[in-house]
Amino acid sequence: MSATIRSAALIGASVLTLAGCASAEPDYMAVVPTGRPEPAAVIQTPVRESTAFTLGTDQPRAPEQLAMQFDKADLSIKVLPDQKAIDAVAVLDFTATSRLEAVVVELDTLLAVSSVQVDGQEIGPDGWSNPEGRMTIRLPQPVEADGKVSVRIAYAGQPRVAPQAPWDGGFVWATAPSGEPWIATAIQPEGCDIFWPCIDHPAAEPKRVDLHITVPSNLSAPSNGRFLGTVDHGDGWTTWNWSAANPNTYAIALNIGPYVELKADYRSRFGNTVPMSFWHLRSDDPVKAQALFDQFTPMMDFYEATVGPFPFGDEKMGVVETPHLGMEHQTINAYGNAYKLDGKGYDWLLHHELAHEWFGNQMTNRNADDMWLHEGLGSYMQPLYLRWLHGDRYMQAELLEQRNQLKNRFPVVSGEERTEDEVYKDDAGPGLDLYNKGSLIAHSLRMLIGDEAFFRSVTRLVYGRPDPQPGNFTTRSATTDEFLAIVNEESGRDLTWFFQGYLYQAVLPDLRQTRDGNTLTLEWITGDGAAFPMPVEVEIDGRRTVVPMTGGRGRVTAPAGAHVLIDPGNKILRRDVFIEEWKAQPGA
């Protein structure tokens, strides 16, 4: 549903740099604590390239796609490591919401279609077309509203190879240290149509996806949802069966390798038990693998205490080691951080991708223009987790690292429909500001309205209700405007000015100060010149007072010679000239 890059989402807990974001979202998509993109485990140049349409995602849906509901996808995929190819059959079930004369899905033209059937009837080559990767299948007879239609598509070929996963995605065909094939998909920037026929849009999630992944019998194939067992065919091939409810389309993931599974149960504070699994390479240091797995429980406890119940408790909380850095994949998050320590007492990559189970998979933005709901709120969980673990000093240090990375070149939200490329790439959109600025805006909002109103707002945004319990909610989509309406209700005030001043302006609000005798005058200047009545705490010779800032202006008595400190608790995100001067110097 976020996430991340495109959900992908990956963001470092420290200094962050956009790497095409796994957009991962390439989590455009993963970034690392050093501030430099992590080299991909495998960098390969594809011989063939997908069309520009296929490489885009979150694009406007065709009229036929708006006229049908995606009920189920049943995907049987045989992965052929030696040929770097797949051989697959997809059965897609839809319900018409209005008269339907054709079914339209997306599928990469790199994959050759050998058969198309509608409700068991073979459709000849003249009955379907797939120009540029948008496949139109004419129905033998129209389907009226509430009618059902089932489409079967057989296809095969060599799917797009990721030039640099997860930032520039596709398939990763790697080799494990022990010599076996090690394969993963990372497709947030490009979308589900890279390897299965789908409607490549966040609002078109199927209600269920069943996966039947056939791989060499010496390998494992952990994937999304509940494990339904394996079938050993006795010919060197084994099929792994999975079933996932309401999955984010780009989050459907293939992961194949010589894995060892660590398993445990999480006893939720909401009364249910959640299976947890970590599939790591057989060649890994078992002590390091166990140490990472031991982090699952405290992270789950933090998120449940902070946001609400783990959204997919009847399936699993799953993580799999991958030959790329990582990406959020619903119930099977990709992890490739190599167990690195950074002195913060937790694995930032594991934590950030787990955030997307709430911010991205449970709650999905309706359009990429609202991607900060995934990345910004998800990134704010990291300074909050540092406080949970170590106290205020560590939270503030993390917020400062995020503050120092701001670009402020584009608004976080434009107010217009955008594609993921337009928001994740920092030459066209907010880029890493989705993460860092989004997090800092969330912090300023929390400081303004208080913990109770803030966290109740976040919970309502994620679950669509204030009292989530296992079994009383389902996945949902949301917008920035909806979050504003929730915040207004929970805080009992109209905070349109706050959202407008922070999210819809590229520049930060600027707090101007003038002294006239014993009077200190403060004035907020915003990108659009609108009033910004953000109260300001001022410390004068050690004594603190709050200046109301009605209409964006306020005054306070400050005797000549008194030491004045603005916002001593660092509660407000605002322009800081000294940071701009630092960044403007050569080499900064």
Side-chain angles (χ1 to χ4, degrees):
M1 300 189 13
S2 238
T4 110
I5 181 155
R6 305 168 191 242
S7 135
L10 304 184
I11 199 147
S14 327
V15 179
L16 306 176
T17 294
L18 184 65
C21 207
S23 105
E25 173 152 340
D27 172 319
Y28 226 41
M29 260 174 176
V31 284
V32 297
T34 61
R36 296 183 298 276
E38 178 81 359
V42 173
I43 300 177
Q44 300 164 308
T45 301
V47 175
R48 302 169 303 148
E49 183 56 285
S50 306
T51 67
F53 176 82
T54 294
L55 294 179
T57 190
D58 203 14
Q59 300 177 95
R61 286 175 284 173
E64 294 88 350
Q65 293 174 331
L66 294 170
M68 60 190 191
Q69 171 185 288
F70 200 164
D71 298 324
K72 182 180 177 182
D74 188 284
L75 307 178
S76 299
I77 303 174
K78 187 173 186 178
V79 180
L80 308 166
D82 290 345
Q83 290 95 332
K84 294 183 172 57
I86 60 174
D87 189 355
V89 172
V91 178
L92 314 175
D93 296 334
F94 302 98
T95 298
T97 56
S98 60
R99 181 180 173 88
L100 195 63
E101 297 184 355
V103 166
V104 177
V105 295
E106 277 82 58
L107 181 64
D108 197 340
T109 57
L110 294 183
L111 301 168
V113 175
S114 59
S115 172
V116 176
Q117 296 179 3
V118 174
D119 293 330
Q121 177 180 342
E122 189 74 22
I123 304 298
D126 59 344
W128 64 271
S129 61
N130 192 28
E132 301 301 311
R134 173 160 276 180
M135 186 176 190
T136 299
I137 303 166
R138 293 195 300 275
L139 301 180
Q141 53 274 330
V143 176
E144 302 300 333
D146 298 324
K148 307 285 187 180
V149 61
S150 182
V151 174
R152 180 186 184 274
I153 302 171
Y155 61 99
Q158 293 181 317
R160 183 182 198 250
V161 175
Q164 189 177 25
W167 302 273
D168 194 354
F171 269 66
V172 179
W173 305 91
T175 302
S178 51
E180 299 92 340
W182 187 18
I183 303 161
T185 57
I187 57 168
Q188 186 176 13
E190 298 76 21
C192 47
D193 48 341
I194 287 291
F195 74 95
W196 65 279
C198 60
I199 301 175
D200 188 14
H201 191 281
E205 296 176 356
K207 292 184 177 179
R208 180 164 296 279
V209 173
D210 288 344
L211 290 145
H212 317 284
I213 307 165
T214 302
V215 299
S217 295
N218 64 329
L219 304 176
S220 300
S223 193
N224 309 85
R226 289 185 299 112
F227 181 47
L228 302 182
T230 60
V231 176
D232 189 332
H233 301 288
D235 57 358
W237 295 90
T238 295
T239 298
W240 291 64
N241 300 290
W242 302 87
S243 183
N246 303 306
N248 202 338
T249 52
Y250 76 77
I252 296 298
L254 304 183
N255 305 281
I256 298 149
Y259 289 121
V260 173
E261 181 185 8
L262 296 177
K263 300 174 64 175
D265 286 336
Y266 170 68
R267 308 294 180 181
S268 167
R269 60 177 55 222
F270 291 91
N272 60 319
T273 299
V274 181
M276 299 187 301
S277 291
F278 174 39
W279 285 269
H280 66 88
L281 290 180
R282 191 177 299 126
S283 56
D284 286 354
D285 182 340
V287 174
K288 291 182 178 179
Q290 185 64 50
L292 186 75
F293 188 55
D294 289 343
Q295 294 187 41
F296 284 25
T297 292
M299 287 187 186
M300 289 280 282
D301 195 44
F302 162 78
Y303 278 112
E304 289 208 327
T306 303
V307 185
F310 179 70
F312 311 104
D314 59 343
E315 295 182 354
K316 69 178 181 300
M317 185 284 212
V319 177
V320 60
E321 188 174 6
T322 55
H324 61 84
L325 181 59
M327 188 182 290
E328 74 268 19
H329 291 145
Q330 189 168 311
T331 70
I332 191 67
N333 285 332
Y335 173 83
N337 201 32
Y339 311 110
K340 294 175 184 175
L341 302 178
D342 60 8
K344 295 182 179 179
Y346 79 106
D347 191 293
W348 70 268
L349 179 63
L350 177 68
H351 190 273
H352 180 75
E353 300 303 28
L354 182 57
H356 285 304
E357 297 286 29
W358 287 263
F359 305 102
N361 294 334
Q362 164 58 30
M363 178 277 297
T364 304
N365 56 221
R366 288 184 196 162
N367 178 261
D369 195 44
D370 299 302
M371 190 62 74
W372 82 279
L373 296 176
H374 295 193
E375 303 299 7
L377 294 177
S379 295
Y380 188 44
M381 295 300 111
Q382 290 181 282
L384 290 178
Y385 190 55
L386 279 165
R387 187 187 186 283
W388 176 276
L389 291 177
H390 309 306
D392 286 332
R393 175 185 296 176
Y394 289 83
M395 178 184 74
Q396 291 294 345
E398 186 75 6
L399 291 169
L400 179 59
E401 288 186 3
Q402 292 178 342
R403 174 64 182 87
N404 286 342
Q405 293 305 305
L406 298 192
K407 304 286 188 179
N408 300 315
R409 296 175 57 198
F410 296 91
V412 174
V413 181
S414 72
E416 300 176 354
E417 295 282 300
R418 307 292 297 278
T419 66
E420 290 207 8
D421 274 350
E422 290 174 325
V423 298
Y424 273 110
K425 294 184 176 179
D426 60 4
D427 60 348
L432 267 188
D433 279 0
L434 289 171
Y435 303 79
N436 298 319
K437 195 171 184 178
S439 171
L440 293 161
I441 290 169
H443 183 68
S444 292
L445 179 61
R446 176 182 158 227
M447 295 297 98
L448 176 64
I449 67 176
D451 282 4
E452 182 176 357
F454 176 78
F455 288 113
R456 280 179 60 87
S457 296
V458 169
T459 296
R460 286 181 57 186
L461 175 74
V462 169
Y463 300 96
R465 59 188 302 162
D467 58 345
Q469 295 288 329
N472 75 353
F473 61 87
T474 188
T475 54
R476 64 187 309 272
S477 58
T479 66
T480 301
D481 285 343
E482 181 185 1
F483 189 39
L484 169 59
I486 292 171
V487 168
N488 286 346
E489 288 182 18
E490 292 295 341
S491 66
R493 63 181 96 171
D494 184 357
L495 292 175
T496 302
W497 60 268
F498 180 97
F499 278 58
Q500 189 67 32
Y502 277 128
L503 291 167
Y504 293 88
Q505 315 299 317
V507 298
L508 290 173
D510 187 10
L511 185 61
R512 306 282 176 85
Q513 310 171 37
T514 56
R515 295 286 290 271
D516 183 7
N518 291 337
T519 300
L520 171 64
T521 300
L522 302 175
E523 180 181 12
W524 283 111
I525 305 297
T526 60
D528 61 357
F532 191 74
M534 172 70 84
V536 179
E537 189 174 54
V538 179
E539 182 180 286
I540 302 170
D541 279 343
R543 299 183 64 180
R544 296 189 183 187
T545 186
V546 176
V547 182
M549 301 297 291
T550 303
R553 292 175 60 89
R555 294 181 178 180
V556 64
T557 300
H563 175 67
V564 175
L565 178 60
I566 304 296
D567 188 26
N570 302 118
K571 298 177 180 179
I572 303 173
L573 176 61
R574 60 190 173 102
R575 181 190 181 203
D576 289 306
V577 174
F578 67 92
I579 293 179
E580 294 176 0
E581 292 173 344
W582 162 57
K583 288 191 169 186
Q585 68 182 351

